[in-house]
Amino acid sequence: MSGEVVLALEDVRHAFGDVAVLDGVSLDVKAGSVTCLLGPNGSGKSTLLSIAAGLRTPDDGAVTRRTAGAARSVGYLPQRPAFRPQFTVAETIAFYGSLVPMEIDETATLGQVGLDGVADRQVENLSGGMVRLLGLAQATVGSPPIVVLDEPASGLDPQLRHHIADVIADLAANGAAVLMATHDLGAAERIADEVRVLDDGAFVAGGSPAAIEAETGTDLLEGAIDALIDREDAIGVRSGTAGDRG
Ligand SMILES: Nc1ncnc2c1ncn2[C@@H]1O[C@H](COP(=O)(O)OP(=O)(O)OP(=O)(O)O)[C@@H](O)[C@H]1O
């Protein structure tokens, strides 16, 4: 099965009101691989991920998920994961486990993200980073063949970021097709089989990290992104002050 395209987006378009966010985006994600979406804040990564995960219907274009026979088709980690505050960590995973028609090893699920030691702690008493780890664990419950992760390492310290990247690489090694948005270029460099750079609603580059670096004459993704994205534009999007700059 490994290497088959299990998630395909074809000429996907989406707008919020009169603001076009995705302007004809096509993408194949294969089983056993990690695809990282890079791009400035507001470039449409989360919108694309929510469409890929089936949570949002695009205005136009086709989304195909080949997940027949899977207990759960898609695991999804939102950008801001939120859980019932009074549930413990173990109860939270048990709840998600109850939604899929298969036996879940809760301890192993928590262990893979390093949360087995806080299984009895209530969610409201977790740190922000721990909540994100719980979100990642939740996204893997039921071994979905497609895993969609929106900034899985956001707000985590460098060691945890590294650990999360290892967990994600393991998911792909075990056959999952992983599609994730990230601003962690080091992680993308390390674990991405494919990178897509999104800007102004379209992909401006795609390929392995090495291929993108070769194409842009750079030796790190950070340099490649600088070469591909107009930094002034990106800062304008971030701060909303583009119109104020003289
Ligand atoms: N529900 C919504 N209604 C209206 N506009 C939206 C909605 N969701 C997103 N947008 C707009 O769509 C654009 C793309 O947002 P999106 O969250 O997809 O970007 P992103 O690349 O994930 O950004 P970031 O890196 O900051 O998370 C932004 O201009 C955003 O304001």
Side-chain angles (χ1 to χ4, degrees), residues 16 21 40-47 79 151 183:
F16 292 110
V21 176
N41 292 125
S43 59
K45 300 181 298 298
S46 295
T47 306
Q79 197 167 12
E151 299 192 26
H183 294 292

Side-chain angles (χ1 to χ4, degrees), residues 83 87-107 109-110 119 123 134 137-138 141-142:
F83 302 101
F87 272 25
T88 66
V89 166
E91 285 167 346
T92 303
I93 288 302
F95 168 73
Y96 284 95
S98 73
L99 301 178
V100 293
M102 67 184 275
E103 199 71 22
I104 302 299
D105 183 340
E106 289 154 23
T107 307
T109 303
L110 291 173
V123 168
L134 183 57
Q138 167 278 124
V141 166

